[in-house]
Amino acid sequence: MTAMIRIIIADDSPFIRARLEELFTAQGIAVVAALENGAEAVEAVRRLKPDAVVMDYEMPVMDGIEALEMIRRDSAVPVIIFSAYTPEGAVQTLRAVEAGAHDVILKPAGGQRPPAVIEQELVASVRCAAGAKTAKRKPFEIAARQVDVICAGSSAGGVYAAGRILPLLPTDMPPVVWVQHMPAEFMAAFAGRLNSISRLEVKLAEQNEPLRHGVCYMSPHGTECGLRKTPNGYAIALSACNPRRRFCPSCDGIFESAAEVCGARAVGVILSGIGSDGTDGLVRLHNAGGYVVGQSESSCVVYGMPHSAAEAGAVDITVPLEDITPLLCKLTGAGAK
């Protein structure tokens, strides 16, 4: 019989605490403490030794980041930051990732995303955090290949993935084009914070912008992001949203474009996310000779998108999140100097 997951909640809103207790209890997850500030959370983690902590960012007495840092110094208990939905939240999110947060999930606000979807992500993240185990790494049995562009797609859990992958990539990495399902007002701050902690330049993609080594182009919200061939290489091609697709930008869009424009000289990376966005594009990329990397189930917040692509036969290799950066370096030969 599987042991019940035990968690601590810390949020200064009585309403949020009550709603989270109700949500987790209904999912068979035991809330062993519901607290109103970070200082109480730090003490409760030491005393109760929970499987995971769900914590607000802004709280009285001690905020979520300070509490997170103290918890990480004392234990390996995973912490999920459940933060307010604001543009400034992008900076808070990456600060939390740097401090060792397992995940950061935005609270529902402004009707941008249905509360039920956010609650689904939160429960999935808690289950992932509580069940995470450190696996022994295996050597990659792959050869370096000619790579002109790396295209990555992510959704729920992708903010954490970006914070774990991009800061470690070397400056001679081929161009990276990244599609993350994220509201418009969040994107600029998100890209800016990633840029401040990465060796790569991380920026929002612009129409007709030439692709350069050492740069990650984050797809803007509200436009489909693709590629086009130029006399000197490749450039960004932004277009109107595809009404047949749920997301804009879509992961399918960038992967399909890479398949058509780059073919076997492209690498696709499919990361944590709900649903199947990216699968159709990755099938085309794989059939065109491109190489496809999938994030492992054990390291995903939500294994929907990588699982769908793997089930379709489009994934060449599946690896944990922490192995994606060294795998990309081996595939491309980047960072070898």
Side-chain angles (χ1 to χ4, degrees), residues 11 13 15-16 19-20 23 54 56 81-86 104-122 183 185:
D11 196 297
S13 164
F15 173 80
I16 295 293
R19 176 58 194 139
L20 292 182
L23 170 68
V54 176
D56 192 12
I81 298 293
F82 190 42
S83 67
Y85 180 94
T86 64
V104 181
I105 295 177
L106 299 178
K107 292 179 179 177
Q112 291 285 347
R113 293 194 304 154
V117 172
I118 296 170
E119 290 178 352
Q120 180 185 358
E121 291 179 14
L122 189 57
E185 58 267 39

mmCIF file of all heavy atoms in Angstrom, residues 11 13 15-16 19-20 23 54 56 81-86 104-122 183 185:
data_model
loop_
_atom_site.group_PDB
_atom_site.id
_atom_site.type_symbol
_atom_site.label_atom_id
_atom_site.label_comp_id
_atom_site.label_asym_id
_atom_site.label_seq_id
_atom_site.Cartn_x
_atom_site.Cartn_y
_atom_site.Cartn_z
ATOM 1 N N ASP A 11 0.588 30.186 3.396
ATOM 2 C CA ASP A 11 0.007 31.288 2.619
ATOM 3 C C ASP A 11 -0.697 32.215 3.587
ATOM 4 O O ASP A 11 -1.402 31.754 4.495
ATOM 5 C CB ASP A 11 -0.980 30.743 1.579
ATOM 6 C CG ASP A 11 -1.321 31.755 0.500
ATOM 7 O OD1 ASP A 11 -1.897 32.817 0.832
ATOM 8 O OD2 ASP A 11 -1.008 31.482 -0.669
ATOM 9 N N SER A 13 -3.156 34.107 3.057
ATOM 10 C CA SER A 13 -4.581 34.244 2.780
ATOM 11 C C SER A 13 -5.350 33.069 3.385
ATOM 12 O O SER A 13 -5.151 31.921 2.979
ATOM 13 C CB SER A 13 -4.839 34.284 1.266
ATOM 14 O OG SER A 13 -6.204 34.055 0.976
ATOM 15 N N PHE A 15 -8.352 32.287 2.830
ATOM 16 C CA PHE A 15 -9.148 31.688 1.758
ATOM 17 C C PHE A 15 -8.312 30.692 0.953
ATOM 18 O O PHE A 15 -8.763 29.580 0.659
ATOM 19 C CB PHE A 15 -9.694 32.779 0.830
ATOM 20 C CG PHE A 15 -10.372 32.231 -0.395
ATOM 21 C CD1 PHE A 15 -11.674 31.748 -0.328
ATOM 22 C CD2 PHE A 15 -9.700 32.177 -1.610
ATOM 23 C CE1 PHE A 15 -12.302 31.227 -1.463
ATOM 24 C CE2 PHE A 15 -10.313 31.657 -2.739
ATOM 25 C CZ PHE A 15 -11.614 31.173 -2.670
ATOM 26 N N ILE A 16 -7.074 31.107 0.577
ATOM 27 C CA ILE A 16 -6.201 30.216 -0.202
ATOM 28 C C ILE A 16 -5.860 28.979 0.610
ATOM 29 O O ILE A 16 -5.892 27.849 0.096
ATOM 30 C CB ILE A 16 -4.914 30.947 -0.639
ATOM 31 C CG1 ILE A 16 -5.237 32.086 -1.619
ATOM 32 C CG2 ILE A 16 -3.931 29.963 -1.262
ATOM 33 C CD1 ILE A 16 -5.771 31.632 -2.949
ATOM 34 N N ARG A 19 -8.864 26.699 0.613
ATOM 35 C CA ARG A 19 -9.102 26.083 -0.700
ATOM 36 C C ARG A 19 -8.067 24.999 -0.996
ATOM 37 O O ARG A 19 -8.397 23.928 -1.524
ATOM 38 C CB ARG A 19 -9.062 27.153 -1.795
ATOM 39 C CG ARG A 19 -9.204 26.597 -3.216
ATOM 40 C CD ARG A 19 -10.500 25.822 -3.397
ATOM 41 N NE ARG A 19 -10.479 25.031 -4.617
ATOM 42 C CZ ARG A 19 -10.957 23.799 -4.715
ATOM 43 N NH1 ARG A 19 -11.483 23.211 -3.657
ATOM 44 N NH2 ARG A 19 -10.921 23.149 -5.855
ATOM 45 N N LEU A 20 -6.797 25.264 -0.652
ATOM 46 C CA LEU A 20 -5.758 24.265 -0.911
ATOM 47 C C LEU A 20 -5.957 23.029 -0.032
ATOM 48 O O LEU A 20 -5.754 21.900 -0.495
ATOM 49 C CB LEU A 20 -4.377 24.864 -0.682
ATOM 50 C CG LEU A 20 -3.944 25.938 -1.691
ATOM 51 C CD1 LEU A 20 -2.533 26.420 -1.377
ATOM 52 C CD2 LEU A 20 -4.018 25.411 -3.120
ATOM 53 N N LEU A 23 -8.657 21.082 -1.692
ATOM 54 C CA LEU A 23 -8.177 20.480 -2.938
ATOM 55 C C LEU A 23 -7.325 19.249 -2.672
ATOM 56 O O LEU A 23 -7.570 18.172 -3.233
ATOM 57 C CB LEU A 23 -7.367 21.524 -3.722
ATOM 58 C CG LEU A 23 -6.597 21.000 -4.934
ATOM 59 C CD1 LEU A 23 -7.546 20.550 -6.033
ATOM 60 C CD2 LEU A 23 -5.636 22.078 -5.451
ATOM 61 N N VAL A 54 3.991 23.567 -0.114
ATOM 62 C CA VAL A 54 3.399 24.501 -1.069
ATOM 63 C C VAL A 54 3.341 25.858 -0.378
ATOM 64 O O VAL A 54 2.699 26.008 0.662
ATOM 65 C CB VAL A 54 1.987 24.054 -1.502
ATOM 66 C CG1 VAL A 54 1.359 25.103 -2.423
ATOM 67 C CG2 VAL A 54 2.041 22.697 -2.187
ATOM 68 N N ASP A 56 3.427 30.347 -0.585
ATOM 69 C CA ASP A 56 3.270 31.628 -1.272
ATOM 70 C C ASP A 56 4.627 32.332 -1.343
ATOM 71 O O ASP A 56 5.558 32.018 -0.597
ATOM 72 C CB ASP A 56 2.259 32.485 -0.499
ATOM 73 C CG ASP A 56 1.820 33.707 -1.286
ATOM 74 O OD1 ASP A 56 2.114 33.788 -2.491
ATOM 75 O OD2 ASP A 56 1.173 34.583 -0.683
ATOM 76 N N ILE A 81 6.549 26.874 -5.068
ATOM 77 C CA ILE A 81 6.090 28.238 -4.833
ATOM 78 C C ILE A 81 4.802 28.448 -5.619
ATOM 79 O O ILE A 81 4.761 28.255 -6.843
ATOM 80 C CB ILE A 81 7.160 29.262 -5.270
ATOM 81 C CG1 ILE A 81 8.441 29.095 -4.450
ATOM 82 C CG2 ILE A 81 6.618 30.688 -5.152
ATOM 83 C CD1 ILE A 81 8.301 29.440 -2.986
ATOM 84 N N PHE A 82 3.748 28.817 -4.917
ATOM 85 C CA PHE A 82 2.441 29.091 -5.516
ATOM 86 C C PHE A 82 2.248 30.593 -5.429
ATOM 87 O O PHE A 82 1.815 31.129 -4.410
ATOM 88 C CB PHE A 82 1.367 28.329 -4.740
ATOM 89 C CG PHE A 82 0.013 28.328 -5.394
ATOM 90 C CD1 PHE A 82 -0.132 28.141 -6.755
ATOM 91 C CD2 PHE A 82 -1.134 28.484 -4.615
ATOM 92 C CE1 PHE A 82 -1.390 28.118 -7.348
ATOM 93 C CE2 PHE A 82 -2.395 28.456 -5.188
ATOM 94 C CZ PHE A 82 -2.523 28.280 -6.558
ATOM 95 N N SER A 83 2.607 31.299 -6.511
ATOM 96 C CA SER A 83 2.796 32.745 -6.413
ATOM 97 C C SER A 83 1.712 33.534 -7.127
ATOM 98 O O SER A 83 0.986 33.015 -7.974
ATOM 99 C CB SER A 83 4.171 33.129 -7.001
ATOM 100 O OG SER A 83 4.178 32.898 -8.394
ATOM 101 N N ALA A 84 1.641 34.813 -6.791
ATOM 102 C CA ALA A 84 0.657 35.706 -7.393
ATOM 103 C C ALA A 84 0.941 35.889 -8.866
ATOM 104 O O ALA A 84 2.093 35.857 -9.311
ATOM 105 C CB ALA A 84 0.676 37.062 -6.685
ATOM 106 N N TYR A 85 -0.113 36.105 -9.628
ATOM 107 C CA TYR A 85 -0.027 36.273 -11.070
ATOM 108 C C TYR A 85 0.222 37.750 -11.383
ATOM 109 O O TYR A 85 -0.691 38.567 -11.405
ATOM 110 C CB TYR A 85 -1.334 35.803 -11.690
ATOM 111 C CG TYR A 85 -1.394 35.916 -13.184
ATOM 112 C CD1 TYR A 85 -1.056 34.843 -13.987
ATOM 113 C CD2 TYR A 85 -1.793 37.094 -13.793
ATOM 114 C CE1 TYR A 85 -1.122 34.938 -15.353
ATOM 115 C CE2 TYR A 85 -1.853 37.211 -15.163
ATOM 116 C CZ TYR A 85 -1.526 36.128 -15.943
ATOM 117 O OH TYR A 85 -1.577 36.238 -17.315
ATOM 118 N N THR A 86 1.478 38.128 -11.588
ATOM 119 C CA THR A 86 1.835 39.493 -11.960
ATOM 120 C C THR A 86 3.018 39.442 -12.910
ATOM 121 O O THR A 86 3.774 38.475 -12.927
ATOM 122 C CB THR A 86 2.257 40.331 -10.728
ATOM 123 O OG1 THR A 86 3.459 39.757 -10.181
ATOM 124 C CG2 THR A 86 1.171 40.350 -9.669
ATOM 125 N N VAL A 104 7.359 26.417 -9.740
ATOM 126 C CA VAL A 104 6.642 27.660 -9.431
ATOM 127 C C VAL A 104 5.375 27.663 -10.266
ATOM 128 O O VAL A 104 5.429 27.513 -11.489
ATOM 129 C CB VAL A 104 7.486 28.906 -9.740
ATOM 130 C CG1 VAL A 104 6.707 30.173 -9.385
ATOM 131 C CG2 VAL A 104 8.803 28.874 -8.997
ATOM 132 N N ILE A 105 4.233 27.816 -9.619
ATOM 133 C CA ILE A 105 2.944 27.812 -10.304
ATOM 134 C C ILE A 105 2.225 29.107 -9.974
ATOM 135 O O ILE A 105 2.213 29.557 -8.824
ATOM 136 C CB ILE A 105 2.108 26.586 -9.882
ATOM 137 C CG1 ILE A 105 2.814 25.306 -10.355
ATOM 138 C CG2 ILE A 105 0.694 26.664 -10.446
ATOM 139 C CD1 ILE A 105 2.131 24.035 -9.942
ATOM 140 N N LEU A 106 1.635 29.722 -11.012
ATOM 141 C CA LEU A 106 0.956 31.002 -10.828
ATOM 142 C C LEU A 106 -0.466 30.810 -10.337
ATOM 143 O O LEU A 106 -1.210 29.970 -10.845
ATOM 144 C CB LEU A 106 0.930 31.770 -12.147
ATOM 145 C CG LEU A 106 2.292 32.133 -12.740
ATOM 146 C CD1 LEU A 106 2.100 32.838 -14.067
ATOM 147 C CD2 LEU A 106 3.078 32.992 -11.778
ATOM 148 N N LYS A 107 -0.847 31.611 -9.346
ATOM 149 C CA LYS A 107 -2.222 31.592 -8.856
ATOM 150 C C LYS A 107 -3.172 32.118 -9.931
ATOM 151 O O LYS A 107 -2.802 32.965 -10.735
ATOM 152 C CB LYS A 107 -2.350 32.459 -7.600
ATOM 153 C CG LYS A 107 -1.629 31.911 -6.390
ATOM 154 C CD LYS A 107 -1.775 32.844 -5.201
ATOM 155 C CE LYS A 107 -1.076 32.283 -3.971
ATOM 156 N NZ LYS A 107 -1.153 33.203 -2.820
ATOM 157 N N PRO A 108 -4.408 31.630 -9.942
ATOM 158 C CA PRO A 108 -5.369 32.123 -10.933
ATOM 159 C C PRO A 108 -5.727 33.574 -10.659
ATOM 160 O O PRO A 108 -5.939 33.971 -9.526
ATOM 161 C CB PRO A 108 -6.582 31.205 -10.744
ATOM 162 C CG PRO A 108 -6.448 30.663 -9.362
ATOM 163 C CD PRO A 108 -4.976 30.588 -9.068
ATOM 164 N N ALA A 109 -5.750 34.364 -11.734
ATOM 165 C CA ALA A 109 -6.147 35.776 -11.616
ATOM 166 C C ALA A 109 -6.461 36.297 -13.005
ATOM 167 O O ALA A 109 -5.842 35.908 -13.988
ATOM 168 C CB ALA A 109 -5.041 36.611 -10.977
ATOM 169 N N GLY A 110 -7.428 37.175 -13.073
ATOM 170 C CA GLY A 110 -7.720 37.866 -14.321
ATOM 171 C C GLY A 110 -8.323 37.001 -15.408
ATOM 172 O O GLY A 110 -8.429 37.421 -16.556
ATOM 173 N N GLY A 111 -8.701 35.780 -15.091
ATOM 174 C CA GLY A 111 -9.327 34.931 -16.085
ATOM 175 C C GLY A 111 -8.396 34.394 -17.147
ATOM 176 O O GLY A 111 -8.830 33.866 -18.168
ATOM 177 N N GLN A 112 -7.083 34.547 -16.943
ATOM 178 C CA GLN A 112 -6.130 34.111 -17.963
ATOM 179 C C GLN A 112 -6.132 32.594 -18.138
ATOM 180 O O GLN A 112 -6.054 32.093 -19.241
ATOM 181 C CB GLN A 112 -4.724 34.595 -17.596
ATOM 182 C CG GLN A 112 -4.536 36.105 -17.689
ATOM 183 C CD GLN A 112 -4.429 36.584 -19.119
ATOM 184 O OE1 GLN A 112 -4.252 35.802 -20.036
ATOM 185 N NE2 GLN A 112 -4.560 37.886 -19.319
ATOM 186 N N ARG A 113 -6.180 31.867 -17.041
ATOM 187 C CA ARG A 113 -6.210 30.405 -17.124
ATOM 188 C C ARG A 113 -7.251 29.902 -16.140
ATOM 189 O O ARG A 113 -7.371 30.426 -15.032
ATOM 190 C CB ARG A 113 -4.841 29.806 -16.779
ATOM 191 C CG ARG A 113 -3.755 30.114 -17.788
ATOM 192 C CD ARG A 113 -2.548 29.207 -17.567
ATOM 193 N NE ARG A 113 -2.041 29.316 -16.212
ATOM 194 C CZ ARG A 113 -1.365 28.357 -15.588
ATOM 195 N NH1 ARG A 113 -1.162 27.214 -16.194
ATOM 196 N NH2 ARG A 113 -0.911 28.543 -14.363
ATOM 197 N N PRO A 114 -8.004 28.883 -16.516
ATOM 198 C CA PRO A 114 -9.055 28.383 -15.613
ATOM 199 C C PRO A 114 -8.454 27.876 -14.307
ATOM 200 O O PRO A 114 -7.444 27.180 -14.314
ATOM 201 C CB PRO A 114 -9.668 27.232 -16.423
ATOM 202 C CG PRO A 114 -9.309 27.502 -17.841
ATOM 203 C CD PRO A 114 -7.977 28.188 -17.798
ATOM 204 N N PRO A 115 -9.072 28.200 -13.172
ATOM 205 C CA PRO A 115 -8.575 27.706 -11.881
ATOM 206 C C PRO A 115 -8.443 26.187 -11.842
ATOM 207 O O PRO A 115 -7.524 25.661 -11.224
ATOM 208 C CB PRO A 115 -9.631 28.212 -10.885
ATOM 209 C CG PRO A 115 -10.193 29.437 -11.530
ATOM 210 C CD PRO A 115 -10.200 29.147 -12.994
ATOM 211 N N ALA A 116 -9.351 25.479 -12.509
ATOM 212 C CA ALA A 116 -9.286 24.011 -12.489
ATOM 213 C C ALA A 116 -8.000 23.497 -13.117
ATOM 214 O O ALA A 116 -7.425 22.507 -12.661
ATOM 215 C CB ALA A 116 -10.494 23.424 -13.217
ATOM 216 N N VAL A 117 -7.526 24.171 -14.176
ATOM 217 C CA VAL A 117 -6.274 23.767 -14.830
ATOM 218 C C VAL A 117 -5.096 24.025 -13.900
ATOM 219 O O VAL A 117 -4.191 23.194 -13.769
ATOM 220 C CB VAL A 117 -6.097 24.527 -16.160
ATOM 221 C CG1 VAL A 117 -4.710 24.263 -16.749
ATOM 222 C CG2 VAL A 117 -7.180 24.119 -17.153
ATOM 223 N N ILE A 118 -5.099 25.179 -13.246
ATOM 224 C CA ILE A 118 -4.016 25.517 -12.318
ATOM 225 C C ILE A 118 -3.992 24.532 -11.154
ATOM 226 O O ILE A 118 -2.920 24.085 -10.721
ATOM 227 C CB ILE A 118 -4.178 26.970 -11.824
ATOM 228 C CG1 ILE A 118 -4.042 27.932 -13.010
ATOM 229 C CG2 ILE A 118 -3.154 27.296 -10.739
ATOM 230 C CD1 ILE A 118 -4.406 29.353 -12.696
ATOM 231 N N GLU A 119 -5.165 24.185 -10.637
ATOM 232 C CA GLU A 119 -5.226 23.228 -9.534
ATOM 233 C C GLU A 119 -4.718 21.858 -9.980
ATOM 234 O O GLU A 119 -4.037 21.162 -9.219
ATOM 235 C CB GLU A 119 -6.649 23.148 -9.004
ATOM 236 C CG GLU A 119 -7.077 24.408 -8.264
ATOM 237 C CD GLU A 119 -8.508 24.364 -7.785
ATOM 238 O OE1 GLU A 119 -9.230 23.401 -8.158
ATOM 239 O OE2 GLU A 119 -8.926 25.276 -7.038
ATOM 240 N N GLN A 120 -5.015 21.469 -11.216
ATOM 241 C CA GLN A 120 -4.505 20.214 -11.753
ATOM 242 C C GLN A 120 -2.977 20.230 -11.793
ATOM 243 O O GLN A 120 -2.309 19.263 -11.415
ATOM 244 C CB GLN A 120 -5.064 19.981 -13.152
ATOM 245 C CG GLN A 120 -4.587 18.680 -13.811
ATOM 246 C CD GLN A 120 -5.068 18.546 -15.243
ATOM 247 O OE1 GLN A 120 -5.795 19.400 -15.765
ATOM 248 N NE2 GLN A 120 -4.646 17.486 -15.906
ATOM 249 N N GLU A 121 -2.408 21.346 -12.244
ATOM 250 C CA GLU A 121 -0.951 21.492 -12.289
ATOM 251 C C GLU A 121 -0.356 21.407 -10.888
ATOM 252 O O GLU A 121 0.693 20.785 -10.676
ATOM 253 C CB GLU A 121 -0.570 22.823 -12.933
ATOM 254 C CG GLU A 121 -0.874 22.921 -14.409
ATOM 255 C CD GLU A 121 -0.503 24.275 -14.976
ATOM 256 O OE1 GLU A 121 0.229 25.031 -14.290
ATOM 257 O OE2 GLU A 121 -0.942 24.602 -16.089
ATOM 258 N N LEU A 122 -1.017 22.058 -9.931
ATOM 259 C CA LEU A 122 -0.503 22.102 -8.567
ATOM 260 C C LEU A 122 -0.489 20.708 -7.947
ATOM 261 O O LEU A 122 0.511 20.296 -7.337
ATOM 262 C CB LEU A 122 -1.343 23.058 -7.725
ATOM 263 C CG LEU A 122 -0.828 23.393 -6.324
ATOM 264 C CD1 LEU A 122 0.570 23.968 -6.377
ATOM 265 C CD2 LEU A 122 -1.777 24.379 -5.642
ATOM 266 N N PRO A 183 1.310 33.643 -20.411
ATOM 267 C CA PRO A 183 0.596 34.876 -20.757
ATOM 268 C C PRO A 183 1.545 35.983 -21.215
ATOM 269 O O PRO A 183 2.719 36.038 -20.816
ATOM 270 C CB PRO A 183 -0.094 35.262 -19.446
ATOM 271 C CG PRO A 183 -0.194 33.976 -18.682
ATOM 272 C CD PRO A 183 1.044 33.206 -19.036
ATOM 273 N N GLU A 185 1.916 39.228 -20.622
ATOM 274 C CA GLU A 185 2.547 40.177 -19.710
ATOM 275 C C GLU A 185 3.652 39.554 -18.861
ATOM 276 O O GLU A 185 4.383 40.254 -18.170
ATOM 277 C CB GLU A 185 1.492 40.819 -18.790
ATOM 278 C CG GLU A 185 0.695 39.840 -17.956
ATOM 279 C CD GLU A 185 -0.600 39.413 -18.618
ATOM 280 O OE1 GLU A 185 -0.602 39.210 -19.845
ATOM 281 O OE2 GLU A 185 -1.603 39.274 -17.901
#
